[in-house]
Amino acid sequence: MIAMTKAQLAAAAGVSVKTLQRWLSRHREELAMLGVRPRDKLLPPVAVKYVAEQFGIDL
């Protein structure tokens, strides 16, 4: 996995950034443990992997 912006990840999922934000808000605690804050625009590789697995995004 590589680091991705939320916009890139949303495009890969086929949803808007706002929708991705809603999805991520449901996993706020898990993402916080991975070092992601709600306002971060760039997600580290470990967070990208977690999000892709949770939401079935094919990267």
Side-chain angles (χ1 to χ4, degrees):
M1 287 290 149
I2 60 169
M4 295 178 80
T5 64
K6 288 181 182 176
Q8 291 171 324
L9 194 54
V15 298
S16 69
V17 175
K18 186 174 182 175
T19 298
L20 180 69
Q21 286 287 89
R22 262 188 257 125
W23 290 358
L24 296 180
S25 70
R26 295 182 183 130
H27 296 268
R28 189 172 294 138
E29 290 178 16
E30 293 87 353
L31 290 170
M33 291 189 318
L34 298 174
V36 176
R37 295 175 302 205
R39 294 188 187 255
D40 288 347
K41 292 186 190 307
L42 184 66
L43 300 176
V46 67
V48 172
K49 181 179 179 184
Y50 173 79
V51 171
E53 288 174 356
Q54 289 296 311
F55 300 110
I57 302 170
D58 189 26
L59 299 176

